[in-house]
Structures are given as C-alpha cells and as structure tokens.
Amino acid sequence: MDNKSKLRYLPKIDELVARLENLWAAYGKEMVTECAREQIDHMRQTLLAGGDCDVAMEAVCAAVEKELKAIYAPHLHAVINATGVVLHTNLGRAVLSERAAKAAYTAARSYTNLEYNIEKGARGSRYDHIDKLICRITGAEAAMVVNNNAAAVMLILSTMAKGHEVVVSRGELVEIGGAFRVPEIMEQSGGTLIEVGTTNKTHTWDYERAINENTGAFLKVHTSNFKVMGFTEEVTLEQMVEIGHAHNIPVIYDLGSGLFADLDPVGIHDEPKILEAMATGVDVLSFSGDKLLGGPQAGIIVGKKALIDKMKKNPLTRAFRVDKMTFAALEETLRCYLDGSCDQSIPTITMIKKPVEALDLAAKKLKNLLKHIDGVESAVMREKSQVGGGSVPGVFLDTRAVQVEVKGISAAALEEKLRKEYSIICRISKDKLVFDVRTLLEGDDKKIAEALRKISEELA
Ligand SMILES: *Cc1c(COP(=O)(O)O)cnc(C)c1O
C-alpha cells in the first residue's frame, strides 16, 4: 500500500476511541481520546513526510495503549549502575548515605524548624545552622549554600565582578557541561573577563601585568574534567593568593568537586582538597554538594565574612535557594565529615576507597550466583573503573568485573535488553559484557542474576 492509500486507511478518531473502550476505566475517556488524536496526527505527519507506519486498527490501538502506559508510568526510577563509574552524571551522580536520605525523608514528611528559632519561639534563618557546620569543618569565616556549584559561581561573580575586571588564565576557561562556560558566566554576571597566559602555560607575571585600578578579582577554576600534559605551567592557588593580596585583590577559587575525604590511599592525588585550598588564605571558595562530597545537589560557598555577607544580600541568593530536603540531606552528609564516619557512611567515598580484595569477593559472589544458570558463562576479570562526575580525569582505579556471555545473544543485544527491560546499566569491554562490582549496591547482584536467568530462559 502506498502512503496515499495509507492516509485514507488511517482509523477515524471516534472508531479508534470506541475500540479502546477497555482503557476508559483506567485512563478516562478524555485522555484516551487525546492520545488517539495525537497518535493519528503523528502517523499522518509520518506518512506525509514519506515515512512508514502500520495503519491497521490493531496496530494503532496498540500504539495508543503503549503511549498511555508511558504517560502514567513513573519516569524517574532506580537503575543498577554496573559501569563502575562512581559519580555517573547521567545516573544522577552521588548516591546519598542512609543517614542523609532518612533526614531528607523526615524533612519532606514533617513540619520542620527550617526557618523557626525554637529557643526564641520566633522566626529564624534557614541558613544559620548549616553555615556554622560548614565553617566548623572547613575552618572558614563564613559559608552559604545554594542550588548547585554553577549557581554558586554565578552568585560569586555577580556579587564581586559586576563592573570590574576578573583575571582568569586561558588554561582555565573551561566548559563544565551544558551551557556552563566560564566566559559566558562572566558575561552574565556583568564582569569583564581578562584572559591571561596561554592554553598550556600561565606565569605569575601574567597575573601581575593584568592588574589595574579596575581589577575586581582573580578567578581560578579547577579544570575538573580534563588534564593538560607535557609542556605546561600553572600558577598555583597559593601564588595567586600571594599576588592578589599584595595588591588588595580578592581571589576566588571554583574548586569543583568538594573533596574532604582522604583519597591518597587509592592514588587520587591531583584532586584539590577543600582544606588545603582554605589553607592558602583564598578569599572565596565554591564546590558541589553531589560530586566527591557525596551529598545532595548543592553549591557550597565558603570564605571571608565580608564577601559572603555581600553575597547573602544579592537577590540571586533567594533565586538560588535550596529546599528543606536538600538542607536535611546536606547537613547529615556534612555531619559524617564532622564525626569522621565518611569512609563508612558516604557511598561515594566507600565505593572509591573499596579495597580490591573486597571487590574481588563481590565479583566472586556475583559469579557464583550465575554459576547454575543454563546458557550463562561468566568469569571474574581485572578491570579499571573511573570516578566520573567530571572529576579526577586520567585516574583509573583497579577493580573487578564479572564478564558475562549468554548463549544465543550478542553482547550488544544483551546490553540493550538489560538496559531497556531491567534498568541494568553495564558496559561492553573488548566485545564482552562486563559488570563492574564497584558501583553495585546491596542486592543488585541478585537482581542481575535474576535478569540474566530470565533472559537465558527466554532464549532457550
Ligand atoms: C562540576 C563543576 C561545576 C558545576 O557544578 P554543579 O554542582 O554541577 O552545578 C562548576 N565548576 C567546576 C570546576 C566543576 O567541576
């Protein structure tokens, strides 16, 4: 049948809706009608554009039903991360600690003292408590929390850079992701970007020469997601602070990831640490809540009180405000750093620091679960996992993965099936499917085994 005839054969809306009567109870007749109309429209457009589709009544009914199901199904759901990428941006970055998740739940399900001073029985500030906690852990004079680190940088610059020049090394004019690019943020904030140095080398005298009476700040941006190697030179934060302070110019550092924990034992040495950065005397520092800090999405700003106070008065602060669930989860995450339990209780840190022996055991356990499934072959492999989340580029952690083959299906087809039907995300390494056990949460191994058992039964 050619497209012209197919267009004539498209079911009439009324007939289609009548045929779908069995769905009226579940979705309502109006919704069924709306979806039926959209489906017919879509098919007409497809046919007019020279495309192909099945116009038989049964096929159209099935398409409408599928769409209705998709509309009513929850979109955001748990997936199993078997990629080994700990801070997987596409999979929602940090997994919260049990403590943080419980606190968020409680905040969500009850009234809270968010903006109420219990002692005084009067209005309080939602920021007081958490700001003090951040100051205690970082040693900063003042602190504040906004929606994410992009908002933090935006707020810092629009408070400190407006009408002034901000000096940035050409090696640090980075794009973090999405539309977050340093030159564009600068433009938005009303500051003038003064680029110094080159892509690979910036010297202390580059900063010194850029100083004039209109210089508002020096900005250092951690090049989170890439590494420049070879003939390079970077001015350290310490040197920038020295030059800046000699000329009364504040120094801002967008540190990116927010690392408090000690990751040296696993060979992560290059990621800037919050406490080391603070020790330089930097004026303002910002970092994410949901990267290496391992908490909820948030942006944390710490630094000199006079500057932070000015930011708190910026109207953007209200626009970038954090909700009570984030507050609760962030506070609990920070408390893990205060009481020293971060290695055990914050999943991001636990996963990154997981000893190879423990990974080996976990891989063997998964392999054991697969042992008795007909048609499934598995082996424990030495692999490398990445931290991800645009942090620690070039660092590969020794890990263990279980390589799996299922009789009668290619690795690519199996990967797709696991992803679409079971929400299991894994990777293909050397044409074989591998499950990196580093990022598996409790019970995930059983779910993987169950999915593979079902798939191999289907194929048998
Ligand atoms: C990730 C990152 C950002 C953006 O932080 P979000 O919390 O994702 O908004 C900004 N700057 C640097 C250097 C980063 O690494």
Side-chain angles (χ1 to χ4, degrees):
M1 208 191 302
D2 62 11
N3 278 12
K4 225 170 164 181
S5 330
K6 276 191 173 179
L7 278 164
R8 254 183 288 121
Y9 269 99
L10 272 174
K12 303 267 171 303
I13 305 281
D14 290 350
E15 280 167 36
L16 182 56
V17 174
R19 280 289 284 268
L20 291 166
E21 196 178 343
N22 60 321
L23 302 178
W24 295 3
Y27 304 107
K29 190 178 171 190
E30 267 183 31
M31 194 63 180
V32 173
T33 311
E34 196 175 316
C35 264
R37 188 164 287 131
E38 280 171 16
Q39 186 60 38
I40 296 291
D41 267 356
H42 174 73
M43 287 180 157
R44 183 173 294 120
Q45 297 306 330
T46 306
L47 292 170
L48 286 172
D52 191 29
C53 55
D54 191 345
V55 297
M57 183 57 102
E58 298 78 60
V60 183
C61 281
V64 175
E65 181 164 6
K66 192 171 165 210
E67 184 57 27
L68 279 162
K69 275 206 178 114
I71 291 170
Y72 283 88
H75 172 68
L76 189 66
H77 58 83
V79 306
I80 291 176
N81 177 7
T83 65
V85 180
V86 179
L87 293 168
H88 201 301
T89 304
N90 300 152
L91 305 184
R93 286 201 196 155
V95 171
L96 289 183
S97 67
E98 182 79 26
R99 280 167 64 175
K102 278 196 173 136
Y105 181 84
T106 305
R109 290 287 293 157
S110 8
Y111 293 105
T112 63
N113 59 340
L114 184 69
E115 287 193 359
Y116 186 68
N117 186 323
I118 299 261
E119 294 293 316
K120 294 184 184 152
R123 182 168 194 216
S125 156
R126 69 168 62 201
Y127 297 106
D128 265 358
H129 185 71
I130 203 147
D131 292 357
K132 281 193 190 112
L133 182 56
I134 297 167
C135 288
R136 180 156 310 276
I137 310 175
T138 59
E141 278 179 19
M144 66 185 294
V145 177
V146 291
N147 243 323
N148 52 35
N149 191 29
V153 175
M154 187 79 215
L155 174 65
I156 293 167
L157 291 177
S158 85
T159 308
M160 295 174 62
K162 200 172 228 154
H164 295 285
E165 293 179 357
V166 178
V167 184
V168 190
S169 160
R170 287 198 173 86
E172 297 171 7
L173 293 176
V174 299
E175 172 172 317
I176 300 300
F180 187 82
R181 297 167 137 194
V182 172
E184 274 134 58
I185 295 282
M186 191 70 76
E187 200 180 317
Q188 274 279 335
S189 71
T192 307
L193 174 67
I194 303 295
E195 302 175 17
V196 297
T198 59
T199 309
N200 57 331
K201 281 201 173 201
T202 304
H203 305 276
T204 48
W205 42 262
D206 283 317
Y207 287 92
E208 279 162 344
R209 283 206 309 221
I211 297 172
N212 62 44
E213 68 287 347
N214 199 25
T215 306
F218 286 171
L219 169 66
K220 187 169 186 66
V221 183
H222 175 51
T223 55
S224 304
N225 47 13
F226 70 101
K227 226 179 153 71
V228 187
M229 309 240 279
F231 188 62
T232 64
E233 191 166 327
E234 180 188 335
V235 178
T236 64
L237 182 65
E238 210 164 357
Q239 290 170 314
M240 283 176 68
V241 170
E242 195 176 312
I243 302 164
H245 289 186
H247 296 84
N248 239 336
I249 293 165
V251 179
I252 304 162
Y253 185 26
D254 171 11
L255 177 141
S257 232
L259 175 61
F260 271 118
D262 179 12
L263 298 184
D264 284 307
V266 290
I268 295 175
H269 307 292
D270 290 349
E271 194 61 29
K273 294 193 185 73
I274 294 167
L275 293 178
E276 283 175 13
M278 287 304 294
T280 64
V282 65
D283 299 86
V284 177
L285 185 68
S286 79
F287 53 90
S288 288
D290 59 344
K291 289 186 183 169
L292 289 172
L293 193 74
Q297 181 191 301
I300 297 168
I301 309 173
V302 293
K304 300 280 155 67
K305 186 164 185 309
L307 294 168
I308 302 271
D309 282 348
K310 227 171 130 188
M311 288 175 213
K312 285 183 175 170
K313 291 196 187 102
N314 188 323
L316 282 178
T317 296
R318 178 63 178 80
F320 295 159
R321 184 166 94 172
V322 164
D323 79 302
K324 60 179 178 174
M325 291 179 282
T326 302
F327 262 119
L330 183 60
E331 181 182 336
E332 247 349 268
T333 306
L334 292 166
R335 273 160 40 83
C336 295
Y337 289 100
L338 189 67
D339 67 23
S341 68
C342 62
D343 284 7
Q344 297 82 46
S345 46
I346 297 181
T348 301
I349 307 299
T350 311
M351 286 178 191
I352 293 172
K353 294 182 92 161
K354 199 161 227 177
V356 175
E357 302 76 57
L359 294 164
D360 201 56
L361 272 179
K364 283 179 179 147
K365 188 169 159 244
L366 174 57
K367 182 179 152 47
N368 254 333
L369 290 171
L370 304 178
K371 206 163 62 184
H372 302 295
I373 307 174
D374 281 340
V376 174
E377 295 283 341
S378 62
V380 173
M381 314 291 289
R382 286 163 189 261
E383 285 274 336
K384 301 277 182 190
S385 27
Q386 283 179 275
V387 173
S391 54
V392 212
V395 172
F396 295 89
L397 304 168
D398 282 323
T399 192
R400 292 292 181 272
V402 179
Q403 185 189 74
V404 172
E405 282 178 278
V406 177
K407 220 168 107 187
I409 187 168
S410 71
L414 184 56
E415 183 277 330
E416 186 179 337
K417 217 170 164 52
L418 285 165
R419 170 163 44 85
K420 287 189 178 167
E421 292 170 28
Y422 299 92
S423 299
I424 296 171
I425 318 295
C426 53
R427 48 171 212 262
I428 293 178
S429 169
K430 299 179 196 96
D431 291 330
K432 300 265 171 63
L433 209 63
V434 292
F435 298 86
D436 187 329
V437 295
R438 181 184 299 277
T439 44
L440 295 186
L441 302 174
E442 203 176 319
D444 282 353
D445 52 359
K446 292 205 180 74
K447 291 180 194 155
I448 291 170
E450 185 57 21
L452 288 169
R453 191 183 57 74
K454 281 193 188 144
I455 292 172
S456 72
E457 274 171 9
E458 258 174 53
L459 293 165

